[in-house]
Amino acid sequence: QVQLQESGPGLVKPSETLSLTCTVSGGSISNYYWNWIRQPPGQGLEYIGYIYYRGNTNYNPSLKSRVTISLDTSKNEVSLKLTSVTAADTAVYYCARGCSGGSCYNWFDPWGQGTLITVSS
Amino acid sequence: DIQMTQSPSSLSASVGDRVTITCRASQTISSYLNWYQQRPGKAPKLLIYAASSLHSGVPSRFSGSGSGTDFTLTISSLQPEDFATYYCQQGYSPPRTFGQGTKVEIK
């Protein structure tokens, strides 16, 4: 059974770069999309972007200028970098696996437990 | 971007009630509509994919319907563990946008 685990610094200073890692266990990164989604405290879900195992990426236009998603297939890890953070980037950050193939309707399953990132000086 | 609008934003219901949540897309998305349940402090979980297909392990009291722009999530008989927030999500085109959520509370 595939499991995802996010890890990160917890606290990031304004204007700095947020770096998160999603470690995939119990399965391979191959043949799937890997997504990042965030949720500000008390608010709804915001889609950040995805990377396909072959390296193709797509980002939410609202964050595109600041986001980079990458893969390390040797470590079975997916990474997120978000530059120039502000308090508005405070959120729980989730990674989630996306499907691929002819019967795929681009759902997310499973999800990691999420990691809270607070942007504050 | 495709905008997803859920209604209502919240509702109060009793155990055993039938509950219906709607989701409307700003443009046609065929059946590329997925539903999630999120309990407080937990990650969302997939309930329904492709508008009407029940994800493995999800109780049969959950069902989904719709296509094009209008979709519905129905809980046929609300159970105590169903009190949570529900989100729709379109998978038709990137970015994969979510509805704002519907919080189901105990009456």
Side-chain angles (χ1 to χ4, degrees):
Chain A
Q1 176 178 342
V2 174
Q3 292 187 313
L4 284 62
Q5 178 69 58
E6 304 90 347
S7 58
L11 181 66
V12 182
K13 290 183 169 52
S15 80
E16 294 188 342
T17 296
L18 163 65
S19 295
L20 297 176
T21 299
C22 174
T23 302
V24 179
S25 59
S28 172
I29 281 183
S30 298
N31 301 315
Y32 290 99
Y33 289 84
W34 299 93
N35 303 269
W36 286 97
I37 296 144
R38 70 181 183 179
Q39 185 171 37
Q43 298 185 39
L45 300 166
E46 180 182 24
Y47 187 72
I48 298 172
Y50 71 67
I51 186 166
Y52 190 42
Y53 78 103
R54 291 180 175 172
N56 317 63
T57 56
N58 187 282
Y59 303 130
N60 189 326
S62 68
L63 297 168
K64 187 174 183 177
S65 63
R66 300 193 292 130
V67 172
T68 303
I69 299 175
S70 59
L71 285 174
D72 186 334
T73 53
S74 66
K75 294 182 179 179
N76 247 24
E77 291 180 347
V78 185
S79 296
L80 169 72
K81 289 191 187 303
L82 182 66
T83 62
S84 305
V85 298
T86 70
D89 296 310
T90 294
V92 175
Y93 286 75
Y94 296 102
C95 60
R97 189 179 71 175
C99 56
S100 66
S103 60
C104 172
Y105 284 73
N106 296 312
W107 61 79
F108 305 132
D109 179 71
W111 295 56
Q113 66 183 28
T115 186
L116 174 63
I117 299 297
T118 301
V119 179
S120 175
S121 55
Chain B
D1 299 2
I2 298 175
Q3 307 303 314
M4 307 301 293
T5 304
Q6 287 180 235
S7 61
S9 296
S10 65
L11 63 91
S12 295
S14 301
V15 172
D17 283 354
R18 181 182 181 88
V19 169
T20 299
I21 298 168
T22 63
C23 178
R24 175 166 288 177
S26 60
Q27 65 186 73
T28 184
I29 58 171
S30 184
S31 295
Y32 284 77
L33 191 283
N34 309 305
W35 290 97
Y36 302 85
Q37 177 194 66
Q38 185 179 34
R39 296 190 176 110
K42 300 295 186 182
K45 289 186 176 181
L46 180 66
L47 291 176
I48 302 281
Y49 63 93
S52 61
S53 296
L54 199 65
H55 184 51
S56 175
V58 175
S60 59
R61 62 180 179 274
F62 290 93
S63 64
S65 64
S67 67
T69 60
D70 294 311
F71 302 87
T72 298
L73 172 69
T74 299
I75 309 172
S76 60
S77 178
L78 200 64
Q79 298 302 300
E81 60 268 31
D82 301 338
F83 292 95
T85 300
Y86 295 84
Y87 294 93
C88 62
Q89 171 251 325
Q90 64 84 13
Y92 186 77
S93 67
R96 317 281 190 218
T97 42
F98 292 90
Q100 80 279 17
T102 296
K103 187 174 184 179
V104 177
E105 299 175 300
I106 301 173
K107 197 173 198 177

PDB file of all heavy atoms in Angstrom, chain A residues 92-113:
ATOM      1  N   VAL A  92      -1.239  24.211   5.579  1.00  0.00           N
ATOM      2  CA  VAL A  92      -0.859  22.798   5.572  1.00  0.00           C
ATOM      3  C   VAL A  92      -0.623  22.415   4.119  1.00  0.00           C
ATOM      4  O   VAL A  92      -1.481  22.668   3.256  1.00  0.00           O
ATOM      5  CB  VAL A  92      -1.955  21.904   6.183  1.00  0.00           C
ATOM      6  CG1 VAL A  92      -1.577  20.432   6.056  1.00  0.00           C
ATOM      7  CG2 VAL A  92      -2.185  22.266   7.656  1.00  0.00           C
ATOM      8  N   TYR A  93       0.529  21.834   3.854  1.00  0.00           N
ATOM      9  CA  TYR A  93       0.899  21.432   2.509  1.00  0.00           C
ATOM     10  C   TYR A  93       0.786  19.909   2.404  1.00  0.00           C
ATOM     11  O   TYR A  93       1.350  19.174   3.223  1.00  0.00           O
ATOM     12  CB  TYR A  93       2.317  21.885   2.175  1.00  0.00           C
ATOM     13  CG  TYR A  93       2.400  23.371   1.911  1.00  0.00           C
ATOM     14  CD1 TYR A  93       2.341  24.293   2.953  1.00  0.00           C
ATOM     15  CD2 TYR A  93       2.511  23.864   0.610  1.00  0.00           C
ATOM     16  CE1 TYR A  93       2.391  25.651   2.715  1.00  0.00           C
ATOM     17  CE2 TYR A  93       2.575  25.234   0.360  1.00  0.00           C
ATOM     18  CZ  TYR A  93       2.509  26.114   1.414  1.00  0.00           C
ATOM     19  OH  TYR A  93       2.563  27.471   1.170  1.00  0.00           O
ATOM     20  N   TYR A  94       0.037  19.478   1.393  1.00  0.00           N
ATOM     21  CA  TYR A  94      -0.172  18.051   1.142  1.00  0.00           C
ATOM     22  C   TYR A  94       0.459  17.646  -0.182  1.00  0.00           C
ATOM     23  O   TYR A  94       0.399  18.397  -1.157  1.00  0.00           O
ATOM     24  CB  TYR A  94      -1.661  17.729   1.025  1.00  0.00           C
ATOM     25  CG  TYR A  94      -2.495  17.948   2.257  1.00  0.00           C
ATOM     26  CD1 TYR A  94      -3.294  19.079   2.381  1.00  0.00           C
ATOM     27  CD2 TYR A  94      -2.536  17.002   3.275  1.00  0.00           C
ATOM     28  CE1 TYR A  94      -4.094  19.267   3.503  1.00  0.00           C
ATOM     29  CE2 TYR A  94      -3.336  17.184   4.392  1.00  0.00           C
ATOM     30  CZ  TYR A  94      -4.113  18.321   4.498  1.00  0.00           C
ATOM     31  OH  TYR A  94      -4.914  18.499   5.592  1.00  0.00           O
ATOM     32  N   CYS A  95       1.017  16.450  -0.214  1.00  0.00           N
ATOM     33  CA  CYS A  95       1.311  15.825  -1.494  1.00  0.00           C
ATOM     34  C   CYS A  95       0.275  14.718  -1.714  1.00  0.00           C
ATOM     35  O   CYS A  95      -0.251  14.147  -0.759  1.00  0.00           O
ATOM     36  CB  CYS A  95       2.728  15.277  -1.579  1.00  0.00           C
ATOM     37  SG  CYS A  95       3.145  14.021  -0.372  1.00  0.00           S
ATOM     38  N   ALA A  96      -0.025  14.455  -2.966  1.00  0.00           N
ATOM     39  CA  ALA A  96      -1.025  13.450  -3.300  1.00  0.00           C
ATOM     40  C   ALA A  96      -0.668  12.820  -4.646  1.00  0.00           C
ATOM     41  O   ALA A  96      -0.206  13.514  -5.555  1.00  0.00           O
ATOM     42  CB  ALA A  96      -2.426  14.070  -3.357  1.00  0.00           C
ATOM     43  N   ARG A  97      -0.923  11.536  -4.763  1.00  0.00           N
ATOM     44  CA  ARG A  97      -0.666  10.852  -6.024  1.00  0.00           C
ATOM     45  C   ARG A  97      -1.849  11.051  -6.965  1.00  0.00           C
ATOM     46  O   ARG A  97      -3.016  10.981  -6.543  1.00  0.00           O
ATOM     47  CB  ARG A  97      -0.451   9.354  -5.780  1.00  0.00           C
ATOM     48  CG  ARG A  97       0.030   8.592  -7.001  1.00  0.00           C
ATOM     49  CD  ARG A  97       0.238   7.135  -6.693  1.00  0.00           C
ATOM     50  NE  ARG A  97      -1.029   6.432  -6.485  1.00  0.00           N
ATOM     51  CZ  ARG A  97      -1.118   5.121  -6.287  1.00  0.00           C
ATOM     52  NH1 ARG A  97      -0.028   4.374  -6.265  1.00  0.00           N
ATOM     53  NH2 ARG A  97      -2.292   4.553  -6.101  1.00  0.00           N
ATOM     54  N   GLY A  98      -1.532  11.275  -8.220  1.00  0.00           N
ATOM     55  CA  GLY A  98      -2.555  11.384  -9.243  1.00  0.00           C
ATOM     56  C   GLY A  98      -2.443  10.207 -10.194  1.00  0.00           C
ATOM     57  O   GLY A  98      -1.383   9.641 -10.384  1.00  0.00           O
ATOM     58  N   CYS A  99      -3.563   9.866 -10.806  1.00  0.00           N
ATOM     59  CA  CYS A  99      -3.594   8.700 -11.692  1.00  0.00           C
ATOM     60  C   CYS A  99      -3.135   9.082 -13.094  1.00  0.00           C
ATOM     61  O   CYS A  99      -3.007  10.257 -13.424  1.00  0.00           O
ATOM     62  CB  CYS A  99      -5.005   8.133 -11.752  1.00  0.00           C
ATOM     63  SG  CYS A  99      -6.261   9.342 -12.254  1.00  0.00           S
ATOM     64  N   SER A 100      -2.862   8.069 -13.883  1.00  0.00           N
ATOM     65  CA  SER A 100      -2.573   8.276 -15.300  1.00  0.00           C
ATOM     66  C   SER A 100      -3.154   7.109 -16.077  1.00  0.00           C
ATOM     67  O   SER A 100      -3.499   6.084 -15.502  1.00  0.00           O
ATOM     68  CB  SER A 100      -1.072   8.392 -15.550  1.00  0.00           C
ATOM     69  OG  SER A 100      -0.423   7.170 -15.263  1.00  0.00           O
ATOM     70  N   GLY A 101      -3.299   7.266 -17.379  1.00  0.00           N
ATOM     71  CA  GLY A 101      -3.857   6.193 -18.177  1.00  0.00           C
ATOM     72  C   GLY A 101      -5.227   6.535 -18.707  1.00  0.00           C
ATOM     73  O   GLY A 101      -5.823   7.551 -18.351  1.00  0.00           O
ATOM     74  N   GLY A 102      -5.749   5.650 -19.535  1.00  0.00           N
ATOM     75  CA  GLY A 102      -6.994   5.932 -20.244  1.00  0.00           C
ATOM     76  C   GLY A 102      -8.199   6.095 -19.362  1.00  0.00           C
ATOM     77  O   GLY A 102      -9.117   6.849 -19.688  1.00  0.00           O
ATOM     78  N   SER A 103      -8.274   5.433 -18.218  1.00  0.00           N
ATOM     79  CA  SER A 103      -9.452   5.509 -17.353  1.00  0.00           C
ATOM     80  C   SER A 103      -9.255   6.514 -16.226  1.00  0.00           C
ATOM     81  O   SER A 103     -10.007   6.525 -15.261  1.00  0.00           O
ATOM     82  CB  SER A 103      -9.766   4.135 -16.765  1.00  0.00           C
ATOM     83  OG  SER A 103      -8.673   3.685 -16.001  1.00  0.00           O
ATOM     84  N   CYS A 104      -8.260   7.342 -16.366  1.00  0.00           N
ATOM     85  CA  CYS A 104      -7.937   8.286 -15.291  1.00  0.00           C
ATOM     86  C   CYS A 104      -8.775   9.547 -15.429  1.00  0.00           C
ATOM     87  O   CYS A 104      -8.839  10.143 -16.492  1.00  0.00           O
ATOM     88  CB  CYS A 104      -6.457   8.634 -15.353  1.00  0.00           C
ATOM     89  SG  CYS A 104      -5.976   9.952 -14.229  1.00  0.00           S
ATOM     90  N   TYR A 105      -9.403   9.942 -14.331  1.00  0.00           N
ATOM     91  CA  TYR A 105     -10.162  11.193 -14.288  1.00  0.00           C
ATOM     92  C   TYR A 105      -9.488  12.213 -13.375  1.00  0.00           C
ATOM     93  O   TYR A 105     -10.103  13.105 -12.836  1.00  0.00           O
ATOM     94  CB  TYR A 105     -11.604  10.911 -13.848  1.00  0.00           C
ATOM     95  CG  TYR A 105     -12.436  10.307 -14.954  1.00  0.00           C
ATOM     96  CD1 TYR A 105     -12.255   8.993 -15.347  1.00  0.00           C
ATOM     97  CD2 TYR A 105     -13.385  11.062 -15.622  1.00  0.00           C
ATOM     98  CE1 TYR A 105     -13.001   8.441 -16.378  1.00  0.00           C
ATOM     99  CE2 TYR A 105     -14.152  10.529 -16.650  1.00  0.00           C
ATOM    100  CZ  TYR A 105     -13.950   9.202 -17.023  1.00  0.00           C
ATOM    101  OH  TYR A 105     -14.696   8.658 -18.045  1.00  0.00           O
ATOM    102  N   ASN A 106      -8.169  11.981 -13.210  1.00  0.00           N
ATOM    103  CA  ASN A 106      -7.323  12.944 -12.507  1.00  0.00           C
ATOM    104  C   ASN A 106      -7.744  13.193 -11.069  1.00  0.00           C
ATOM    105  O   ASN A 106      -7.817  14.345 -10.616  1.00  0.00           O
ATOM    106  CB  ASN A 106      -7.232  14.248 -13.308  1.00  0.00           C
ATOM    107  CG  ASN A 106      -6.551  14.018 -14.632  1.00  0.00           C
ATOM    108  OD1 ASN A 106      -5.503  13.388 -14.706  1.00  0.00           O
ATOM    109  ND2 ASN A 106      -7.157  14.508 -15.697  1.00  0.00           N
ATOM    110  N   TRP A 107      -8.048  12.100 -10.381  1.00  0.00           N
ATOM    111  CA  TRP A 107      -8.318  12.192  -8.953  1.00  0.00           C
ATOM    112  C   TRP A 107      -7.016  12.120  -8.164  1.00  0.00           C
ATOM    113  O   TRP A 107      -5.953  11.797  -8.716  1.00  0.00           O
ATOM    114  CB  TRP A 107      -9.259  11.061  -8.525  1.00  0.00           C
ATOM    115  CG  TRP A 107      -8.702   9.692  -8.745  1.00  0.00           C
ATOM    116  CD1 TRP A 107      -7.794   9.001  -7.988  1.00  0.00           C
ATOM    117  CD2 TRP A 107      -9.033   8.818  -9.832  1.00  0.00           C
ATOM    118  NE1 TRP A 107      -7.531   7.776  -8.541  1.00  0.00           N
ATOM    119  CE2 TRP A 107      -8.281   7.621  -9.661  1.00  0.00           C
ATOM    120  CE3 TRP A 107      -9.897   8.916 -10.924  1.00  0.00           C
ATOM    121  CZ2 TRP A 107      -8.377   6.553 -10.560  1.00  0.00           C
ATOM    122  CZ3 TRP A 107      -9.987   7.847 -11.804  1.00  0.00           C
ATOM    123  CH2 TRP A 107      -9.227   6.693 -11.616  1.00  0.00           C
ATOM    124  N   PHE A 108      -7.086  12.417  -6.854  1.00  0.00           N
ATOM    125  CA  PHE A 108      -5.926  12.379  -5.993  1.00  0.00           C
ATOM    126  C   PHE A 108      -6.128  11.301  -4.935  1.00  0.00           C
ATOM    127  O   PHE A 108      -7.041  11.368  -4.128  1.00  0.00           O
ATOM    128  CB  PHE A 108      -5.731  13.724  -5.290  1.00  0.00           C
ATOM    129  CG  PHE A 108      -5.649  14.897  -6.228  1.00  0.00           C
ATOM    130  CD1 PHE A 108      -6.401  16.033  -6.004  1.00  0.00           C
ATOM    131  CD2 PHE A 108      -4.830  14.873  -7.342  1.00  0.00           C
ATOM    132  CE1 PHE A 108      -6.339  17.117  -6.861  1.00  0.00           C
ATOM    133  CE2 PHE A 108      -4.765  15.946  -8.217  1.00  0.00           C
ATOM    134  CZ  PHE A 108      -5.529  17.070  -7.978  1.00  0.00           C
ATOM    135  N   ASP A 109      -5.234  10.312  -4.951  1.00  0.00           N
ATOM    136  CA  ASP A 109      -5.309   9.240  -3.957  1.00  0.00           C
ATOM    137  C   ASP A 109      -4.084   8.351  -4.072  1.00  0.00           C
ATOM    138  O   ASP A 109      -3.767   7.903  -5.170  1.00  0.00           O
ATOM    139  CB  ASP A 109      -6.559   8.374  -4.199  1.00  0.00           C
ATOM    140  CG  ASP A 109      -6.669   7.232  -3.197  1.00  0.00           C
ATOM    141  OD1 ASP A 109      -6.950   7.519  -2.008  1.00  0.00           O
ATOM    142  OD2 ASP A 109      -6.442   6.085  -3.586  1.00  0.00           O
ATOM    143  N   PRO A 110      -3.382   8.136  -2.941  1.00  0.00           N
ATOM    144  CA  PRO A 110      -3.657   8.659  -1.610  1.00  0.00           C
ATOM    145  C   PRO A 110      -3.051  10.055  -1.409  1.00  0.00           C
ATOM    146  O   PRO A 110      -2.408  10.582  -2.318  1.00  0.00           O
ATOM    147  CB  PRO A 110      -2.958   7.638  -0.703  1.00  0.00           C
ATOM    148  CG  PRO A 110      -1.772   7.224  -1.512  1.00  0.00           C
ATOM    149  CD  PRO A 110      -2.227   7.208  -2.953  1.00  0.00           C
ATOM    150  N   TRP A 111      -3.278  10.568  -0.206  1.00  0.00           N
ATOM    151  CA  TRP A 111      -2.705  11.835   0.220  1.00  0.00           C
ATOM    152  C   TRP A 111      -1.734  11.574   1.366  1.00  0.00           C
ATOM    153  O   TRP A 111      -1.895  10.622   2.122  1.00  0.00           O
ATOM    154  CB  TRP A 111      -3.791  12.784   0.750  1.00  0.00           C
ATOM    155  CG  TRP A 111      -4.806  13.243  -0.242  1.00  0.00           C
ATOM    156  CD1 TRP A 111      -5.608  12.445  -1.029  1.00  0.00           C
ATOM    157  CD2 TRP A 111      -5.172  14.591  -0.531  1.00  0.00           C
ATOM    158  NE1 TRP A 111      -6.454  13.234  -1.794  1.00  0.00           N
ATOM    159  CE2 TRP A 111      -6.206  14.552  -1.506  1.00  0.00           C
ATOM    160  CE3 TRP A 111      -4.741  15.831  -0.080  1.00  0.00           C
ATOM    161  CZ2 TRP A 111      -6.791  15.716  -2.036  1.00  0.00           C
ATOM    162  CZ3 TRP A 111      -5.327  16.984  -0.584  1.00  0.00           C
ATOM    163  CH2 TRP A 111      -6.337  16.915  -1.560  1.00  0.00           C
ATOM    164  N   GLY A 112      -0.755  12.444   1.518  1.00  0.00           N
ATOM    165  CA  GLY A 112       0.046  12.428   2.711  1.00  0.00           C
ATOM    166  C   GLY A 112      -0.745  13.045   3.855  1.00  0.00           C
ATOM    167  O   GLY A 112      -1.833  13.582   3.657  1.00  0.00           O
ATOM    168  N   GLN A 113      -0.200  12.972   5.046  1.00  0.00           N
ATOM    169  CA  GLN A 113      -0.885  13.509   6.223  1.00  0.00           C
ATOM    170  C   GLN A 113      -0.834  15.035   6.266  1.00  0.00           C
ATOM    171  O   GLN A 113      -1.604  15.662   7.010  1.00  0.00           O
ATOM    172  CB  GLN A 113      -0.282  12.940   7.495  1.00  0.00           C
ATOM    173  CG  GLN A 113       1.155  13.359   7.745  1.00  0.00           C
ATOM    174  CD  GLN A 113       1.743  12.706   8.982  1.00  0.00           C
ATOM    175  OE1 GLN A 113       1.352  11.612   9.374  1.00  0.00           O
ATOM    176  NE2 GLN A 113       2.709  13.379   9.598  1.00  0.00           N
TER     177      GLN A 113
END
